[in-house]
Amino acid sequence: MAGLRDVVFDTHHALELARFWDAVLDSHTLLPFDDDDLAWLAERGHDLDNPPSVSLDPTPNSGGLRIWFNNVPDPTPGKNRLHIDVNLRDGEELQRVLDLGATVVSRPEEHGERWWILADPEGNQFCAFPPG
């Protein structure tokens, strides 16, 4: 049986979007490029300010999946069909995520539960749930 390996975002600026999600998620950390990585990228003529792919690895004991950000030339048409849900630690967490560059899309309520639908800096929508 197959197992889930990674979650991947198609993006226009992998490093920038990875930095946003690195700041949002406590459970992941941005992997720095080592000297071999930098040499490989430079040999192939890649812009080191916008590398073709960047990953966030789960922190130890988080049990999460690796998250990749890959540069692609084509835009994503319409609403993304797959999204991430995040749990906010406290009431101040929403403002912190907005200050990082997220925007509020809507504030739905269903079966007595309210949450926010947000968009990251490239417009990928995700849900943010308040504590409790």
Side-chain angles (χ1 to χ4, degrees):
M1 176 167 293
L4 192 57
R5 176 179 169 155
D6 300 316
V7 173
V8 181
F9 283 84
D10 288 342
T11 178
H12 291 289
H13 202 288
L15 183 57
E16 193 173 292
L17 195 59
R19 285 179 176 152
F20 168 81
W21 282 103
D22 181 42
V24 169
L25 300 172
D26 292 335
S27 60
H28 287 74
T29 186
L30 181 65
L31 287 183
F33 290 117
D34 63 22
D35 291 339
D36 290 340
D37 295 330
L38 294 172
W40 185 90
L41 290 166
E43 285 171 8
R44 285 154 182 80
H46 291 295
D47 178 1
L48 298 182
D49 291 328
N50 190 20
S53 188
V54 180
S55 73
L56 297 180
D57 269 15
T59 55
N61 302 319
S62 72
L65 297 170
R66 184 174 39 202
I67 304 172
W68 281 98
F69 300 86
N70 293 327
N71 286 340
V72 297
D74 49 320
T76 301
K79 183 183 180 298
N80 47 304
R81 301 287 300 232
L82 176 71
H83 69 269
I84 290 177
D85 288 349
V86 298
N87 288 318
L88 302 173
R89 283 190 306 263
D90 55 42
E92 295 175 8
E93 190 74 7
L94 175 65
Q95 188 58 53
R96 187 182 75 79
V97 172
L98 294 173
D99 290 345
L100 290 168
T103 56
V104 175
V105 175
S106 65
R107 181 89 199 274
E109 180 175 351
E110 192 172 301
H111 305 291
E113 183 175 27
R114 291 199 71 174
W115 66 95
W116 294 269
I117 297 176
L118 305 177
D120 72 17
E122 287 205 13
N124 300 300
Q125 292 184 13
F126 63 101
C127 294
F129 290 84

